[in-house]
Amino acid sequence: MIERQLAPTLRRLAKSFPVLAITGPRQSGKTTLARHLFPDKPYVSLEDPTERAFAVEDPRGFLSRFTQGAIFDEAQRWPDLFSYLQGMVDEDRSPGRFVLTGSQQFGLMAGVTQSLAGRVAMCRLLPLSAAEMAGVGNGQSALDDVLWRGAYPALNIGSPTEPVDWFASYITTYLERDVRQVLQVQDLATFQRFVRLCAGRTGQLLNLSALASEAGITHTTARAWLSVLESSDVLFLLTPYHRNFGKRLVKSPKLYFVDTGLACWLLGIRHSEQLSLHPARGALFENWVVSEFLKRRTNLGQAPDLHFWRDNNGLEADLVYETGTGLLQTVEIKSGQTPTSDYVRAGQRSASMAADEACIPLLIYGGDMSALRNGVQLLSWRMLARKD
């Protein structure tokens, strides 16, 4: 069992809130982490039909076994749980009493907002970060292998499964379980084609109308399907930074996958060697870097607050976020191994839009050297594995 970076956040929140809720994509390690951090709590999987039937038929009898607390896995499978927990927590607000996990963020959120508002701390566990990967001995892997394999625990810990086999099963399970439960999609082939088309737009501005047209579905359906993919932590949208600095800005979000391994599989990349000449390699590397920043924030229990910036003249920063000092940190992302002068100029331009409000710009690239060059901090992709 490796130490997940979310663990200190969960321990801290367990001292203040009576209920902890851990969301995230399927197979990101939520159950393993919850049972590791709270080994003394009874564990109940609401995927178990026997337990779920007991809960539905005799809810009070079911919960009477857990007056001191418990871990309820896949809590959204029994929606009435949240209302019953509200009463139990109001009678005894001992911190860290109940732990809920669920891979359908929308299912958990509906129950929390209706019944447990103010009583629950929400946390999000994504696949392994670069620092966690280094902790299991994968810190020296080649970049293409990191992008292709992805960061799900099953592919990196113990006796790893082959990504080609694992992702095929993962997609089938996701489609059959989550999508049918939530959207009641009849034509799964069309939905799978929609997901593949999303993978082909990794790192691009989202044009929902064009995406819907290519998938052969309505704009409304495309929006609903995209919402499910977001809520299930399959993909996420990076929104443009809201300040215009006197420029006309692009207002569409950019589309990224939570895990580059899944994006690679959807793109038909079956071996890491295919990536070296693949036209999507640069976009996948950008996706990987952005997702690492997202993981760092969520593991600290912080709101993501990550953005990009682009004006109508093409001036852009791949990633923008506000620092604690009120300045803006811009990040330019390049997949090449050699930091050329063009890279440095791109880094300089990324910070020019904010002028005196910008920090020293970062340029994260696919090589191994880190140095300050002409006012731009070059940072090797391997530096994202640092724990600080």
Side-chain angles (χ1 to χ4, degrees):
M1 175 68 193
I2 66 169
E3 180 74 3
R4 300 299 300 266
Q5 291 182 312
L6 183 63
T9 300
L10 288 170
R11 293 189 183 101
R12 171 171 54 84
L13 294 173
K15 298 176 181 178
S16 304
F17 291 85
V19 183
L20 300 179
I22 308 172
T23 67
R26 287 194 178 276
Q27 301 297 315
S28 62
K30 300 180 297 296
T31 302
T32 301
L33 178 60
R35 300 187 74 171
H36 172 70
L37 291 181
F38 307 101
D40 296 333
K41 293 187 182 299
Y43 169 79
V44 183
S45 173
L46 290 171
E47 291 279 15
D48 184 330
T50 302
E51 291 284 6
R52 194 165 64 249
F54 184 7
V56 171
E57 294 169 7
D58 184 9
R60 296 191 183 280
F62 172 81
L63 289 171
S64 67
R65 299 178 295 163
F66 311 115
T67 56
Q68 301 303 308
I71 299 170
F72 292 112
D73 200 9
E74 296 296 340
Q76 77 282 346
R77 297 283 285 149
W78 182 36
D80 289 342
L81 170 65
F82 307 101
S83 297
Y84 284 105
L85 285 185
Q86 176 185 356
M88 296 177 71
V89 166
D90 286 346
E91 292 179 2
D92 179 2
R93 297 184 69 93
S94 299
R97 190 174 168 200
F98 293 101
V99 180
L100 313 178
T101 76
S103 53
Q104 293 182 16
Q105 194 175 123
F106 39 85
L108 276 181
M109 286 302 297
V112 165
T113 53
Q114 291 175 16
S115 304
L116 293 175
R119 305 167 179 86
V120 61
M122 297 293 301
C123 296
R124 188 178 176 197
L125 182 68
L126 299 180
L128 299 170
S129 68
E132 290 168 339
M133 297 269 281
V136 296
N138 292 0
Q140 296 303 312
S141 298
L143 176 56
D144 286 350
D145 191 63
V146 170
L147 298 179
W148 170 74
R149 180 170 293 276
Y152 281 95
L155 298 174
N156 294 279
I157 298 176
S159 300
T161 308
E162 281 298 311
V164 172
D165 299 326
W166 193 84
F167 283 120
S169 175
Y170 187 87
I171 283 292
T172 300
T173 302
Y174 172 73
L175 290 172
E176 291 294 335
R177 298 180 62 172
D178 292 359
V179 175
R180 278 197 185 278
Q181 287 175 15
V182 177
L183 287 178
Q184 298 178 347
V185 174
Q186 300 302 315
D187 188 355
L188 289 176
T190 300
F191 182 82
Q192 189 162 357
R193 182 168 69 251
F194 176 80
V195 179
R196 291 178 186 274
L197 289 170
C198 287
R201 288 162 168 76
T202 297
Q204 297 180 17
L205 293 175
L206 176 64
N207 185 330
L208 198 57
S209 296
L211 181 60
S213 176
E214 192 170 349
I217 58 178
T218 66
H219 185 279
T220 302
T221 299
R223 184 176 297 279
W225 287 3
L226 194 69
S227 177
V228 169
L229 291 170
E230 280 189 272
S231 298
S232 302
D233 282 316
V234 171
L235 55 76
F236 63 97
L237 299 179
L238 190 70
T239 56
Y241 189 63
H242 54 86
R243 294 171 60 186
N244 60 29
F245 298 102
K247 305 286 186 179
R248 294 185 62 189
L249 299 183
V250 169
K251 297 182 179 179
S252 299
K254 292 175 73 174
L255 185 151
Y256 293 99
F257 272 67
V258 167
D259 187 75
T260 58
L262 178 57
C264 284
W265 189 87
L266 290 166
L267 289 170
I269 301 172
R270 299 295 183 256
H271 306 281
S272 60
E273 292 79 7
Q274 292 177 254
L275 266 174
S276 60
L277 298 177
H278 198 281
R281 185 180 186 274
L284 289 167
F285 178 68
E286 180 181 323
N287 192 144
W288 181 81
V289 172
V290 174
S291 67
E292 284 301 311
F293 277 84
L294 176 65
K295 291 172 188 176
R296 182 164 295 195
R297 297 258 176 157
T298 56
N299 285 336
L300 291 174
Q302 300 173 352
D305 290 334
L306 299 172
H307 309 277
F308 75 98
W309 195 93
R310 182 184 296 179
D311 67 20
N312 287 344
N313 295 320
L315 183 64
E316 67 176 328
D318 292 327
L319 196 61
V320 177
Y321 58 91
E322 296 179 353
T323 68
T325 61
L327 297 177
L328 287 180
Q329 180 65 68
T330 62
V331 183
E332 189 68 13
I333 304 168
K334 301 291 185 183
S335 63
Q337 296 184 36
T338 304
T340 65
S341 56
D342 287 341
Y343 283 14
V344 175
R345 283 193 292 271
Q348 292 169 337
R349 288 195 301 271
S350 73
S352 64
M353 54 87 176
D356 293 340
E357 297 183 44
C359 301
I360 294 175
L362 293 178
L363 192 151
I364 300 175
Y365 75 110
D368 294 330
M369 182 187 74
S370 297
L372 184 65
R373 182 170 165 183
N374 294 332
V376 176
Q377 180 63 59
L378 301 179
L379 201 64
S380 166
W381 67 280
R382 294 189 185 277
M383 297 299 288
L384 294 184
R386 295 181 306 179
K387 293 184 179 182
D388 57 342

